[in-house]
Amino acid sequence: MIIRPKYNWFRMLFVWHGSVLPQILPRLLLLLLVSTAVTYFHGTIFQYHVPLTAAPFSLFGVSLAIFLGFYNSVSYDRFWEGRKLWGALLNDTRSLARQALTLSGYPPDAPQVQHFVRLLIAFSHALRHQLRHTSPAADLHRLLPPELAATVQQAQFQPVLLLREMGHWLRQAHTTGYLDTTTQLAFDRNLNQLSDIVGGCERLANTPVPYTYGVLLHRTVYLYCFLLPFGLVETSGWATPLIVVYIGYTFMALDAIIGEIEEPFGLEDNDLPLNALSTTIEASLRELADLPALPPTPPHTGYIVD
Amino acid sequence: MIIRPKYNWFRMLFVWHGSVLPQILPRLLLLLLVSTAVTYFHGTIFQYHVPLTAAPFSLFGVSLAIFLGFYNSVSYDRFWEGRKLWGALLNDTRSLARQALTLSGYPPDAPQVQHFVRLLIAFSHALRHQLRHTSPAADLHRLLPPELAATVQQAQFQPVLLLREMGHWLRQAHTTGYLDTTTQLAFDRNLNQLSDIVGGCERLANTPVPYTYGVLLHRTVYLYCFLLPFGLVETSGWATPLIVVYIGYTFMALDAIIGEIEEPFGLEDNDLPLNALSTTIEASLRELADLPALPPTPPHTGYIVD
Amino acid sequence: MIIRPKYNWFRMLFVWHGSVLPQILPRLLLLLLVSTAVTYFHGTIFQYHVPLTAAPFSLFGVSLAIFLGFYNSVSYDRFWEGRKLWGALLNDTRSLARQALTLSGYPPDAPQVQHFVRLLIAFSHALRHQLRHTSPAADLHRLLPPELAATVQQAQFQPVLLLREMGHWLRQAHTTGYLDTTTQLAFDRNLNQLSDIVGGCERLANTPVPYTYGVLLHRTVYLYCFLLPFGLVETSGWATPLIVVYIGYTFMALDAIIGEIEEPFGLEDNDLPLNALSTTIEASLRELADLPALPPTPPHTGYIVD
Amino acid sequence: MIIRPKYNWFRMLFVWHGSVLPQILPRLLLLLLVSTAVTYFHGTIFQYHVPLTAAPFSLFGVSLAIFLGFYNSVSYDRFWEGRKLWGALLNDTRSLARQALTLSGYPPDAPQVQHFVRLLIAFSHALRHQLRHTSPAADLHRLLPPELAATVQQAQFQPVLLLREMGHWLRQAHTTGYLDTTTQLAFDRNLNQLSDIVGGCERLANTPVPYTYGVLLHRTVYLYCFLLPFGLVETSGWATPLIVVYIGYTFMALDAIIGEIEEPFGLEDNDLPLNALSTTIEASLRELADLPALPPTPPHTGYIVD
Amino acid sequence: MIIRPKYNWFRMLFVWHGSVLPQILPRLLLLLLVSTAVTYFHGTIFQYHVPLTAAPFSLFGVSLAIFLGFYNSVSYDRFWEGRKLWGALLNDTRSLARQALTLSGYPPDAPQVQHFVRLLIAFSHALRHQLRHTSPAADLHRLLPPELAATVQQAQFQPVLLLREMGHWLRQAHTTGYLDTTTQLAFDRNLNQLSDIVGGCERLANTPVPYTYGVLLHRTVYLYCFLLPFGLVETSGWATPLIVVYIGYTFMALDAIIGEIEEPFGLEDNDLPLNALSTTIEASLRELADLPALPPTPPHTGYIVD
């Protein structure tokens, strides 16, 4: 995620980092080239005058508006739903930690309580690693007893196994008399919600927007842009390349942003900062349970928070 | 569902599998023919010049934008709601399995617990078979005792009968003292949610978008496309067929995608991969309950996951 | 609701049943007449040339798009919310039946359980009759003891009285020891949801879209259509009537569909099939509770399911 | 709220009551005057020809469409959310009454139960009075014991005090053994929902759409309308005033409707009929609890239900 | 938040406070200057005639409409979600106070109950201070015992610590016999909701709309506005500057409003009045718990409520 202050309107026009301009520059230069050539040859191809006017482009505009508007909304909804799921993860782990601290028969600083809070922290990290296809080994071994860490690491659905482990913790506390039945079920309700969060993240990660939409959007956007010079050259003369590149910029840039936020758990510039989010969860749970705080992270430089 | 990596913008323009182009090709060729004929005869029909200009088409554009935009959103919402229901199915069956493992008085590896988990797996498969009108016999017999499988198979609403069976399991566990009342009700709440999931899928499957919308959309799209050459020939000359086919492609392709995702439980290219989803549910529940894992599936070839 | 297979794109253009064409034909013929007259007299009224061009119509288009787009979404949302409420009704009655079968102390085939399931079935029918202003007498007497049927029939809010009756059933079961307190409350939560469903249906039925919107939409659509020939005659010549009727068709047809689905509980072609839905509920509950199945309904002919 | 049958399409064009025409007539006449003057003087101001064409107006159209579309959706959402809250009020008070009748140890016709139901009725009326800034004195004294009515009347947040009073009723019933703890909490959950309803209504009533949007919308709409004649006079000649007034009518009427439904609890024509709604709640609760029915209301005349 | 009565349509055109005009005036004057210059020099740059017409601008219009429409909806949704969260805060704290007064074994005027209500009030203020990055010291010391206030003040996540403190209060009440287990869990459910509210506010505050959208929107809006005079000067002559400034006003003003409500917890004119909201919560809770009322606030002057 890009974290950067908003400047005044004038300076915003020249922002480089945080815009997608670097990424689409080659395509824009190609478009500039094509439209300059078209202008130079007066909108002809091999001596055939191309009889395009602006009229068909306002017809194209209809489908373009539908595709872009739709795809953009859908992608942003995916991004925001991903963020909501990680927000809910923070809320629920906090609630479970609070419950472990105040509803169980254990004193707030009992090792059992601390183990439970560590399970919650490990759960958050494991979910992040699952979504980004990275290895959770380091985080699991840092937080859990060795044999548990090893078991979890071998599983295919790691966060789900950690949930089962929490269930076993509850059973243990219940059997040893530190938790009565109704209280155990109050914890269990929150475990159900964690289960919903895992499943929600898996849903977003495994089911993209139907592939065909992407193909169609791409084709519409790029054919539109590369046909546009023929349509404008008659009336716009030497200004054609400038206008074409400007219009092309807005469409291609939107197409590029969409491509990033569509898969919100990745590592691109505009994706969700899962790293920062799981660190926040860990910090908040540690504060709640009076566990030793995390070492302070070095102040991040640059604009990208991952 | 089509699973395919996103290529760079240039290669995306020539993707064949995963686009709907093959499907609408005949219509596009017909459109090409018509528009070439119109161009060749200078926009006349039997010597009557057809006095169409681009102007009426931007008026048509208004209704076209409303219909396509609306129908597309509604269809995608149906697709995504279907996906959410199957995601909720995964979450709830996982939660119920965790509850059976950690909340009941049975040890985690008791045959009763394993039977309950098998009931959950059978439930997922039965729902898939109901939605796709296929026979659940094989899956039921693989997972359930013969007489239960036979009873369920004769029912009209099979997943609902399996839910009742889970209710009987709970009653049994309660009567024999392995489950107290409040815990039984915690299971029951999740059964209510499974009931909501079954009903939600039935709703999507049995209530299509009102038929009249489809008729209206079709007529608007196709008349628009086949009248368009008359409107453009005056100004666009020999480029008319190309433009018409291009505009026609965007509209017809969208119309075709909509037709697929509108009924998300079918077997078309862009439908939900119910097969893969229920296999995932089975794999996850088996891992949770330490049941023997499924045999590895052969790596799927091609781009379509059903 | 219209149940009809989707044909290929070509045959869809000529569908008669399931389109709203029959309904708006008179208006379209009037529009044809007017636009032919306008074309014949070259866009003049009593010798005054009407100086309209296509330009103002694209300005009209803005308000038309806003009104139609808005009204259409709102109406469809009402339709779909109505469908969701009836879906929830199916889910909740199934859940309550399952609870009566597996959570109470009664054996599954006790007359008390069967009475409860009959109450649920009667509830669904009573709701349908209330929404369609028909008499529930037949259904009530078929399902309930005579004196109860008589009491309910006299009430103003019949489904609500049936809910109270279910509450009394619970109290009875509780007092006689077949239901403990927590289980009674698990039933009660589902009764709360039935209460929400009744209220939701009443809300849709009693609060239409604000009347003024309808007036405004109508005026915009029809004035637009009947002024259009004056605006197109200059450029479109003899093709004017055809274009006007085609554009008019799309707008009037949408207006007509909206008018139907806006009140989803009625008896028009595109309304919800409450009859079929409540029969499904009855069939499913009967199967669940092993009550004698309904006599098979004669296969319905035609395309309309009410 | 306007309750009026829908007429056929032709008669709808001439509806007077229920349209906002009366309200915006003066503005429309002014617009007619201005546009007639502009037409008469051929689009000049003090001899300077005003060089406007239709082109800039289609550019204006973009912002106008965004503002109107957005403001309209937001206002309707506020209207419909208000309606949903009052629907939820009906559902929850019915549920609470049913609970008082069937879950408590009191017989259904005990004075305590009747007092509780009266509290619920008083709650609904108090909420209405708070939202409309009218005095609840009459309704409170009609329904509650004098001293309680007096206490509530002095409070700033009257419905909230009535909720506290229901809480005290529950405590009383609990202490005297008519209600066990879990049942008391089942009531309490519904009280939480009533609390949400009060807060939801306060939210809608106290937080309007940001003021700046309204200013901007107004300016865009009215400047557009009053500049329009200059833009159309060149091409539309003597038809200019008619077209301008017609376009102006659609925009001004929408602006006027929006202004009404934006604050749904008021007393304007299209606002929610809080009076009728709270009377319905009272009638339904009285029927449920076998309290004496309300005296029949005189048949309302005219089209407005408040 | 701006609280100001709505005037009649005519006076609204000249409202100064509450519009964003003051804020964007410099930019508008610059635009006026540029467009006057362009008009004076007949749309040339250094003697090169700029061959722009209105046509490309209607193509720009497509992307502009998508960006503005999307960004506006998203920002308003953030604003309204923020408002909903603070509404939920009011509802839940009221519910918790009611529960403390009527569900616990303490008499309603016990110091323990009053302490709990003070905790709730402190929670609301602490959340406000966290969101606005101001110091909660004064409010904490006003409401809480000194050592608790000191502990909370040092924390990083202050509202979360206060939630833990409420959990400890419950545990204390439970241990000393004033609260049985099920009632304690009813409180706990509401604490879970407060946890969700804190997390929801943090989500809105910490995750802005992806930065790249803002850059893109800015560039599109301002380039559009400053190129517009070249496109209109040919047809609109001396009216060009007026039209350009008017169109520019609508776009820039919308851009400015969006920038304000996008971060709803700030201190700009259109942000949420967190101060007023938390004072309302305090007033309502004090009335509920019969705590001494807040001193009357001086009537605020001006139109801005913070």
Side-chain angles (χ1 to χ4, degrees):
Chain A
M1 199 173 63
I2 299 161
I3 294 290
R4 207 177 164 181
K6 295 232 162 168
Y7 303 113
N8 70 48
W9 67 275
F10 192 72
R11 214 178 134 192
M12 284 289 269
L13 298 181
F14 302 98
V15 158
W16 180 258
H17 294 284
S19 107
V20 287
L21 201 45
Q23 191 179 329
I24 62 172
L25 204 58
R27 294 171 232 178
L28 279 179
L29 290 177
L30 183 62
L31 184 59
L32 182 64
L33 208 78
V34 168
S35 54
T36 309
V38 166
T39 310
Y40 187 80
F41 296 107
H42 302 290
T44 57
I45 296 181
F46 307 118
Q47 299 165 9
Y48 288 95
H49 175 71
V50 179
L52 272 175
T53 64
F57 288 93
S58 63
L59 302 184
F60 284 138
V62 171
S63 43
L64 204 57
I66 294 174
F67 293 165
L68 272 178
F70 164 73
Y71 212 118
N72 185 39
S73 304
V74 164
S75 297
Y76 182 78
D77 285 352
R78 291 169 61 89
F79 170 82
W80 195 235
E81 193 187 352
R83 184 59 187 84
K84 274 187 175 165
L85 287 166
W86 274 81
L89 179 59
L90 174 62
N91 307 343
D92 283 339
T93 49
R94 274 177 182 167
S95 290
L96 277 162
R98 197 196 62 246
Q99 291 181 323
L101 287 158
T102 65
L103 290 183
S104 73
Y106 297 116
D109 54 356
Q112 287 90 339
V113 171
Q114 298 198 348
H115 176 57
F116 188 76
V117 173
R118 281 174 199 279
L119 277 173
L120 290 170
I121 298 173
F123 176 82
S124 313
H125 287 297
L127 183 55
R128 167 170 59 87
H129 287 296
Q130 182 185 345
L131 294 173
R132 290 198 164 163
H133 307 289
T134 49
S135 163
D139 281 315
L140 292 177
H141 281 283
R142 182 166 65 83
L143 291 158
L144 303 179
E147 67 275 40
L148 180 58
T151 316
V152 172
Q153 218 179 316
Q154 283 163 16
Q156 191 189 351
F157 302 94
Q158 296 161 348
V160 179
L161 269 220
L162 284 166
L163 275 182
R164 188 183 68 178
E165 193 57 32
M166 294 181 213
H168 283 314
W169 185 92
L170 290 176
R171 178 179 221 163
Q172 180 72 14
H174 180 54
T175 321
T176 52
Y178 287 96
L179 216 55
D180 57 39
T181 309
T182 36
T183 315
Q184 186 186 7
L185 295 176
F187 279 78
D188 191 68
R189 260 196 297 278
N190 278 325
L191 293 190
N192 284 348
Q193 288 189 23
L194 288 187
S195 177
D196 290 351
I197 290 167
V198 177
C201 289
E202 289 174 353
R203 171 164 49 80
L204 284 177
N206 298 340
T207 307
V209 180
Y211 194 77
T212 322
Y213 276 113
V215 175
L216 197 53
L217 178 65
H218 252 74
R219 285 183 185 160
T220 314
V221 166
Y222 287 102
L223 272 177
Y224 183 93
C225 291
F226 283 94
L227 283 179
L228 195 52
F230 297 100
L232 290 182
V233 68
E234 201 92 343
T235 55
S236 302
W238 59 261
T240 302
L242 300 177
I243 302 175
V244 167
V245 166
Y246 175 38
I247 295 186
Y249 166 64
T250 60
F251 286 132
M252 290 180 183
L254 187 55
D255 183 58
I257 301 177
I258 289 173
E260 290 192 0
I261 66 171
E262 186 186 354
E263 305 294 344
F265 299 133
L267 280 164
E268 289 166 314
D269 282 9
N270 287 297
D271 285 339
L272 287 173
L274 296 194
N275 242 333
L277 286 169
S278 44
T279 307
T280 301
I281 291 175
E282 179 157 5
S284 185
L285 294 189
R286 283 180 177 274
E287 185 177 278
L288 253 180
D290 284 327
L291 291 173
L294 284 172
T297 47
H300 74 96
T301 55
Y303 305 113
I304 308 291
V305 180
D306 70 338
Chain B
M1 198 174 63
I2 300 161
I3 294 289
R4 210 180 161 178
K6 296 232 161 170
Y7 303 113
N8 69 49
W9 67 275
F10 192 72
R11 213 177 136 193
M12 283 291 269
L13 299 179
F14 302 98
V15 158
W16 180 258
H17 294 284
S19 106
V20 288
L21 201 46
Q23 191 178 332
I24 61 172
L25 204 59
R27 293 171 234 176
L28 278 179
L29 290 178
L30 183 63
L31 184 60
L32 181 65
L33 208 78
V34 168
S35 53
T36 309
V38 167
T39 310
Y40 186 81
F41 296 109
H42 302 290
T44 57
I45 297 179
F46 308 118
Q47 302 164 5
Y48 288 95
H49 174 72
V50 179
L52 271 175
T53 64
F57 288 93
S58 63
L59 302 184
F60 283 139
V62 171
S63 43
L64 204 57
I66 294 175
F67 293 164
L68 271 178
F70 164 74
Y71 212 118
N72 185 40
S73 305
V74 164
S75 297
Y76 182 79
D77 286 351
R78 290 169 62 89
F79 170 82
W80 195 236
E81 193 187 352
R83 183 59 187 83
K84 275 186 173 166
L85 286 166
W86 274 81
L89 180 59
L90 173 63
N91 307 344
D92 282 340
T93 48
R94 275 177 181 168
S95 290
L96 277 162
R98 196 196 62 246
Q99 291 180 324
L101 287 157
T102 66
L103 291 182
S104 72
Y106 297 116
D109 54 354
Q112 288 89 339
V113 171
Q114 298 198 347
H115 176 57
F116 188 75
V117 173
R118 282 175 198 279
L119 277 173
L120 289 170
I121 298 173
F123 175 82
S124 312
H125 288 296
L127 183 56
R128 166 169 61 88
H129 288 295
Q130 181 185 345
L131 294 172
R132 291 199 163 161
H133 306 289
T134 48
S135 163
D139 281 315
L140 291 178
H141 281 282
R142 180 167 66 82
L143 292 157
L144 303 179
E147 67 275 39
L148 180 58
T151 315
V152 172
Q153 217 179 317
Q154 283 163 17
Q156 191 188 348
F157 302 93
Q158 296 161 348
V160 179
L161 269 219
L162 283 166
L163 275 182
R164 188 182 70 178
E165 193 57 32
M166 295 180 211
H168 283 314
W169 185 92
L170 289 176
R171 177 180 221 160
Q172 180 72 13
H174 179 54
T175 321
T176 52
Y178 288 96
L179 217 55
D180 57 39
T181 310
T182 36
T183 314
Q184 186 185 7
L185 294 176
F187 279 78
D188 190 68
R189 260 196 298 279
N190 278 326
L191 294 190
N192 284 348
Q193 288 189 24
L194 289 187
S195 177
D196 290 352
I197 290 167
V198 177
C201 289
E202 290 174 353
R203 171 165 49 81
L204 283 177
N206 298 340
T207 308
V209 180
Y211 193 77
T212 320
Y213 276 113
V215 175
L216 198 52
L217 178 65
H218 252 75
R219 286 184 184 158
T220 313
V221 165
Y222 287 101
L223 272 176
Y224 183 93
C225 292
F226 284 94
L227 283 178
L228 196 52
F230 297 101
L232 290 182
V233 69
E234 201 91 343
T235 54
S236 302
W238 59 262
T240 303
L242 301 177
I243 302 174
V244 167
V245 166
Y246 175 38
I247 295 185
Y249 166 63
T250 62
F251 285 131
M252 289 179 184
L254 187 56
D255 184 58
I257 301 176
I258 289 174
E260 289 191 2
I261 66 171
E262 185 186 355
E263 305 292 346
F265 300 133
L267 280 164
E268 289 165 315
D269 282 8
N270 286 296
D271 286 339
L272 288 172
L274 296 194
N275 242 333
L277 286 169
S278 44
T279 306
T280 301
I281 291 176
E282 180 157 4
S284 185
L285 294 188
R286 282 180 177 275
E287 185 177 275
L288 253 179
D290 284 326
L291 291 173
L294 285 172
T297 47
H300 75 96
T301 54
Y303 305 113
I304 308 291
V305 180
D306 70 338
Chain C
M1 199 174 62
I2 300 160
I3 294 288
R4 212 181 159 176
K6 296 232 159 168
Y7 303 113
N8 69 50
W9 69 274
F10 192 73
R11 209 175 139 194
M12 282 292 269
L13 299 180
F14 303 99
V15 158
W16 179 258
H17 295 285
S19 107
V20 288
L21 202 47
Q23 191 177 329
I24 61 171
L25 205 58
R27 292 170 234 178
L28 278 179
L29 291 178
L30 183 62
L31 184 59
L32 182 64
L33 208 77
V34 168
S35 54
T36 310
V38 166
T39 310
Y40 187 81
F41 295 108
H42 302 291
T44 56
I45 297 180
F46 305 121
Q47 301 165 5
Y48 289 94
H49 175 71
V50 180
L52 273 174
T53 65
F57 288 93
S58 64
L59 302 184
F60 284 138
V62 173
S63 43
L64 205 57
I66 295 174
F67 293 163
L68 271 178
F70 164 74
Y71 212 118
N72 185 40
S73 304
V74 164
S75 297
Y76 182 77
D77 286 351
R78 291 169 62 89
F79 170 82
W80 195 236
E81 193 188 351
R83 184 57 187 85
K84 275 187 174 166
L85 286 166
W86 274 80
L89 180 59
L90 173 62
N91 307 345
D92 283 339
T93 49
R94 274 176 181 167
S95 290
L96 277 162
R98 195 197 62 245
Q99 292 182 321
L101 287 159
T102 65
L103 291 183
S104 72
Y106 297 115
D109 54 352
Q112 286 91 337
V113 171
Q114 299 199 347
H115 175 57
F116 188 76
V117 173
R118 282 174 198 280
L119 275 174
L120 289 170
I121 298 173
F123 176 83
S124 313
H125 288 297
L127 183 56
R128 166 170 59 89
H129 287 297
Q130 181 186 344
L131 293 173
R132 292 200 161 160
H133 307 290
T134 48
S135 165
D139 282 314
L140 292 177
H141 282 282
R142 181 166 66 82
L143 291 157
L144 303 179
E147 68 276 38
L148 179 57
T151 315
V152 172
Q153 216 178 319
Q154 283 163 17
Q156 192 190 347
F157 303 94
Q158 294 160 350
V160 180
L161 270 217
L162 284 165
L163 276 181
R164 188 182 69 180
E165 194 57 32
M166 294 180 211
H168 283 312
W169 185 92
L170 290 176
R171 176 178 222 161
Q172 180 72 15
H174 179 54
T175 320
T176 51
Y178 287 97
L179 216 55
D180 57 39
T181 309
T182 34
T183 314
Q184 186 185 8
L185 294 176
F187 279 79
D188 190 67
R189 260 197 297 278
N190 278 327
L191 294 190
N192 284 348
Q193 288 189 23
L194 289 187
S195 177
D196 290 352
I197 290 166
V198 177
C201 290
E202 288 174 356
R203 170 165 50 81
L204 283 177
N206 297 340
T207 307
V209 181
Y211 194 76
T212 321
Y213 277 111
V215 175
L216 198 53
L217 179 63
H218 251 75
R219 285 183 186 159
T220 314
V221 166
Y222 287 102
L223 272 176
Y224 183 93
C225 292
F226 283 94
L227 284 178
L228 195 52
F230 296 101
L232 290 182
V233 69
E234 202 90 341
T235 54
S236 304
W238 60 261
T240 304
L242 300 177
I243 302 174
V244 167
V245 166
Y246 174 37
I247 295 185
Y249 166 65
T250 62
F251 286 132
M252 290 179 184
L254 187 55
D255 184 58
I257 302 176
I258 289 175
E260 287 191 3
I261 65 172
E262 184 186 355
E263 304 293 344
F265 300 132
L267 281 162
E268 289 165 313
D269 282 8
N270 286 296
D271 286 338
L272 289 171
L274 296 194
N275 242 334
L277 287 170
S278 43
T279 307
T280 301
I281 292 175
E282 180 157 3
S284 185
L285 294 187
R286 282 180 177 274
E287 185 178 276
L288 253 180
D290 285 326
L291 291 174
L294 285 172
T297 47
H300 75 96
T301 54
Y303 305 112
I304 308 292
V305 180
D306 70 339
Chain D
M1 199 174 64
I2 300 161
I3 295 289
R4 210 178 161 178
K6 296 233 159 167
Y7 302 112
N8 69 49
W9 67 277
F10 192 72
R11 213 178 136 192
M12 282 290 270
L13 298 180
F14 302 99
V15 158
W16 180 257
H17 295 284
S19 106
V20 288
L21 202 45
Q23 191 178 329
I24 61 170
L25 204 57
R27 293 170 234 179
L28 279 179
L29 290 177
L30 183 62
L31 184 59
L32 181 63
L33 208 77
V34 168
S35 55
T36 309
V38 167
T39 311
Y40 187 80
F41 296 108
H42 302 290
T44 57
I45 297 181
F46 305 119
Q47 301 165 6
Y48 290 94
H49 175 71
V50 180
L52 274 174
T53 66
F57 288 93
S58 63
L59 302 184
F60 284 138
V62 172
S63 42
L64 204 57
I66 295 174
F67 294 164
L68 272 178
F70 164 72
Y71 212 118
N72 185 40
S73 304
V74 164
S75 297
Y76 182 77
D77 285 352
R78 291 169 60 89
F79 170 82
W80 195 237
E81 192 188 352
R83 183 59 187 84
K84 274 187 175 166
L85 286 166
W86 274 80
L89 180 59
L90 173 62
N91 307 346
D92 283 340
T93 49
R94 274 178 181 165
S95 290
L96 277 163
R98 194 197 63 245
Q99 291 180 321
L101 287 158
T102 65
L103 291 183
S104 73
Y106 298 116
D109 54 354
Q112 286 91 336
V113 171
Q114 299 199 347
H115 175 56
F116 187 76
V117 173
R118 283 175 198 279
L119 275 173
L120 289 170
I121 298 173
F123 176 83
S124 314
H125 288 297
L127 183 56
R128 165 170 60 89
H129 288 298
Q130 181 186 345
L131 293 172
R132 292 198 161 164
H133 308 290
T134 49
S135 164
D139 281 315
L140 292 177
H141 282 283
R142 182 167 66 82
L143 291 158
L144 303 178
E147 66 274 38
L148 179 57
T151 314
V152 172
Q153 216 178 318
Q154 283 163 16
Q156 194 190 344
F157 302 94
Q158 295 160 351
V160 179
L161 271 217
L162 283 165
L163 276 182
R164 188 183 69 179
E165 193 57 32
M166 294 179 211
H168 284 312
W169 185 92
L170 290 175
R171 176 178 222 162
Q172 180 71 15
H174 179 53
T175 321
T176 51
Y178 288 97
L179 217 56
D180 58 40
T181 309
T182 33
T183 315
Q184 186 185 6
L185 294 176
F187 279 78
D188 191 67
R189 262 196 296 278
N190 278 325
L191 293 191
N192 283 349
Q193 289 190 22
L194 289 187
S195 177
D196 290 352
I197 291 167
V198 176
C201 289
E202 289 175 353
R203 171 164 49 83
L204 284 177
N206 298 339
T207 307
V209 181
Y211 194 76
T212 321
Y213 277 112
V215 174
L216 198 53
L217 178 64
H218 251 75
R219 285 185 185 157
T220 314
V221 166
Y222 287 102
L223 272 177
Y224 183 93
C225 292
F226 283 94
L227 284 178
L228 195 52
F230 296 101
L232 291 182
V233 69
E234 202 91 340
T235 53
S236 303
W238 60 261
T240 303
L242 300 177
I243 302 174
V244 168
V245 165
Y246 174 37
I247 294 184
Y249 165 65
T250 61
F251 286 132
M252 290 180 183
L254 187 55
D255 184 59
I257 301 176
I258 289 173
E260 288 192 1
I261 65 171
E262 185 186 355
E263 304 293 345
F265 299 132
L267 281 162
E268 288 166 313
D269 282 9
N270 286 296
D271 287 337
L272 288 171
L274 297 194
N275 241 334
L277 287 169
S278 44
T279 307
T280 301
I281 291 175
E282 180 157 3
S284 185
L285 294 188
R286 283 179 177 276
E287 186 178 277
L288 253 180
D290 284 327
L291 291 175
L294 284 172
T297 47
H300 76 96
T301 54
Y303 305 112
I304 309 293
V305 180
D306 70 340
Chain E
M1 199 174 64
I2 300 160
I3 294 290
R4 208 177 163 181
K6 296 232 160 169
Y7 303 113
N8 70 48
W9 68 276
F10 192 71
R11 216 179 134 191
M12 283 290 269
L13 299 180
F14 303 99
V15 159
W16 180 257
H17 295 283
S19 106
V20 287
L21 202 44
Q23 190 178 329
I24 61 172
L25 205 57
R27 293 171 233 180
L28 279 179
L29 290 177
L30 183 63
L31 184 60
L32 182 63
L33 208 76
V34 169
S35 55
T36 308
V38 167
T39 310
Y40 187 80
F41 296 108
H42 301 291
T44 57
I45 296 180
F46 306 118
Q47 300 167 5
Y48 289 94
H49 175 72
V50 180
L52 273 174
T53 64
F57 288 93
S58 63
L59 301 184
F60 284 138
V62 171
S63 42
L64 204 57
I66 294 174
F67 294 164
L68 271 178
F70 164 72
Y71 212 117
N72 185 40
S73 304
V74 164
S75 297
Y76 182 79
D77 285 352
R78 291 170 61 89
F79 170 83
W80 196 235
E81 192 188 353
R83 183 59 187 85
K84 273 186 175 165
L85 286 166
W86 274 81
L89 180 59
L90 175 62
N91 307 345
D92 283 340
T93 49
R94 275 177 181 166
S95 290
L96 277 162
R98 196 196 63 244
Q99 291 181 323
L101 286 158
T102 66
L103 290 183
S104 73
Y106 297 116
D109 54 355
Q112 286 90 337
V113 171
Q114 298 199 348
H115 176 57
F116 187 77
V117 173
R118 281 174 199 280
L119 276 173
L120 289 170
I121 299 173
F123 176 82
S124 314
H125 287 297
L127 183 56
R128 165 170 59 89
H129 287 297
Q130 181 185 345
L131 293 173
R132 291 198 162 163
H133 307 290
T134 49
S135 163
D139 280 316
L140 292 177
H141 283 282
R142 183 166 64 83
L143 291 158
L144 303 179
E147 66 274 38
L148 179 58
T151 315
V152 172
Q153 218 178 316
Q154 282 162 15
Q156 192 188 349
F157 303 94
Q158 295 161 351
V160 179
L161 271 218
L162 284 165
L163 276 181
R164 188 183 69 178
E165 193 56 33
M166 294 180 212
H168 284 312
W169 185 93
L170 290 175
R171 176 179 223 163
Q172 181 71 16
H174 180 53
T175 320
T176 51
Y178 287 97
L179 216 56
D180 56 40
T181 308
T182 35
T183 316
Q184 186 186 5
L185 294 175
F187 279 79
D188 192 67
R189 262 197 296 279
N190 278 325
L191 293 191
N192 283 348
Q193 288 190 21
L194 288 187
S195 179
D196 290 352
I197 290 167
V198 176
C201 289
E202 289 174 354
R203 171 164 49 82
L204 284 177
N206 298 340
T207 307
V209 181
Y211 194 76
T212 321
Y213 277 113
V215 175
L216 198 52
L217 178 64
H218 252 74
R219 285 184 185 158
T220 314
V221 166
Y222 287 101
L223 272 177
Y224 183 92
C225 291
F226 283 94
L227 284 179
L228 195 52
F230 297 101
L232 290 182
V233 67
E234 203 91 340
T235 54
S236 302
W238 59 261
T240 303
L242 300 177
I243 301 174
V244 167
V245 166
Y246 174 37
I247 294 185
Y249 166 64
T250 61
F251 285 133
M252 290 181 184
L254 187 55
D255 183 58
I257 301 177
I258 288 173
E260 290 192 1
I261 65 171
E262 186 186 356
E263 304 293 345
F265 299 132
L267 280 163
E268 289 166 314
D269 282 8
N270 286 297
D271 287 338
L272 288 172
L274 296 194
N275 242 334
L277 287 169
S278 44
T279 307
T280 300
I281 292 175
E282 179 157 4
S284 185
L285 294 188
R286 284 180 177 275
E287 186 178 278
L288 254 180
D290 284 328
L291 290 174
L294 284 172
T297 47
H300 75 95
T301 54
Y303 304 112
I304 309 291
V305 179
D306 70 339

